[in-house]
């Protein structure tokens, strides 16, 4: 374990750089390395365990802010957390899509945009997570929301849960929830027959 000072910190992107005590060069640190739930601030003293990042450059594996007792971090789940509301929301939307097809409330091709854009949204979240870890240029939040809005919401919800990405920013979470709710309302309207084929075609056209 070594000690140093957090000389750079980008709170929006969730990473910064530590200047270790002594002659060593600064090293990268990601928000996921910190043991405490409180977000760090530039200029704070901390202790850290040095290691190597995914890009092969020096990075902190774990970090503890000065004055905060080190605690044992629970193991992160490597599988679906079935209790996460994002999983339930994604499953609910998927069930509605298939219900529409089974009940012949809309053309079969309606599955295609949800599948294609869902995959694109999943990939975008994965890429953004990797870039955050590596300290590279990120995909904008507006870009992620845009993919979710144009039929990518199911993939986006699942990606957020699996990668534990963009789950701690209230504004982002609220916007994602609004997009999911909008899609849910439209799908329910189609299933119930309140939005028949002709009106649906006009809406999509």
């Amino acid at each position: 374990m070594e000690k140093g000072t957090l000389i750079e910190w980008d709170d929006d992107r969730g990473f910064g750089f530590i200047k270790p005590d002594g002659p060593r060069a600064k090293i990268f640190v990601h928000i996921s390395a910190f043991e405490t739930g409180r977000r760090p601030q530039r200029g704070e003293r901390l202790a850290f365990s040095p290691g190597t990042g995914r890009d092969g450059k020096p990075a902190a594996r774990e970090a503890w802010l000065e004055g905060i007792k080190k605690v044992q971090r629970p193991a992160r789940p490597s599988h679906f957390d079935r209790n996460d509301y994002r999983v339930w929301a994604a499953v609910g939307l998927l069930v509605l899509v298939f219900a529409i097809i089974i009940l012949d409330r809309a053309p079969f091709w309606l599955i295609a945009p949800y599948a294609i854009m869902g995959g694109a949204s999943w990939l975008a979240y994965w890429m953004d997570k990797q870039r955050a870890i590596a300290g590279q240029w990120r995909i904008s939040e507006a870009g992620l929301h845009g993919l979710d809005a144009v039929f990518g919401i199911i993939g986006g919800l699942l990606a957020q849960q699996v990668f534990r990405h963009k789950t701690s920013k209230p504004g982002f979470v609220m916007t994602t929830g609004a997009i999911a709710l909008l899609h849910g309302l439209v799908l329910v309207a189609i299933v119930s027959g309140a939005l028949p084929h002709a009106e649906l075609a006009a809406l999509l056209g």
Side-chain angles (χ1 to χ4, degrees):
M1 185 176 69
E2 300 185 22
K3 292 186 176 182
T5 302
L6 190 64
I7 58 171
E8 298 178 35
W9 182 251
D10 188 326
D11 197 56
D12 289 336
R13 299 168 70 185
F15 72 86
F17 291 90
I18 302 170
K19 177 61 177 73
D21 294 345
R24 290 184 58 192
K26 65 182 183 181
I27 68 170
F28 176 82
V29 61
H30 187 260
I31 185 64
S32 60
F34 286 89
E35 292 283 348
T36 175
R38 181 173 71 79
R39 300 181 77 85
Q41 298 180 6
R42 187 175 64 176
E44 286 194 280
R45 293 282 299 169
L46 47 78
F48 65 94
S49 296
T52 304
R54 296 190 181 186
D55 58 356
K57 296 180 180 179
R61 291 185 291 108
E62 295 179 306
W64 307 272
L65 297 175
E66 191 173 74
I68 297 179
K69 184 180 179 181
K70 177 182 176 181
V71 296
Q72 184 65 36
R73 185 190 307 197
R76 293 182 179 178
S78 57
H79 54 79
F80 262 164
D81 178 3
R82 291 179 295 178
N83 294 321
D84 191 296
Y85 81 90
R86 295 172 184 84
V87 175
W88 287 103
V91 171
L93 292 173
L94 191 60
V95 167
L96 287 172
V97 171
F98 279 101
I100 288 170
I101 304 305
I102 293 171
L103 297 174
D104 195 28
R105 295 286 196 262
F108 183 79
W109 58 257
L110 183 64
I111 293 177
Y114 276 103
I116 295 170
M117 296 308 300
S121 187
W122 173 285
L123 180 61
Y125 278 94
W126 177 81
M127 290 176 60
D128 192 54
K129 178 73 171 184
Q130 301 309 307
R131 292 178 182 181
I133 294 173
Q136 298 173 346
W137 189 259
R138 303 280 299 281
I139 299 173
S140 70
E141 292 188 354
L144 294 174
H145 284 319
L147 286 172
D148 287 345
V150 290
F151 298 97
I153 185 61
I154 295 176
L157 287 167
L158 295 177
Q160 287 182 36
Q161 195 282 317
V162 171
F163 304 129
R164 303 312 300 170
H165 190 49
K166 296 293 185 181
T167 58
S168 61
K169 298 187 71 174
F172 192 93
V173 172
M174 289 180 63
T175 303
T176 299
I179 293 171
L181 179 60
L182 177 61
H183 276 265
L185 291 174
V186 173
L187 292 174
V188 167
I190 298 173
V191 169
S192 66
L195 190 61
H197 277 215
E199 294 184 16
L200 177 61
L203 181 64
L204 295 176

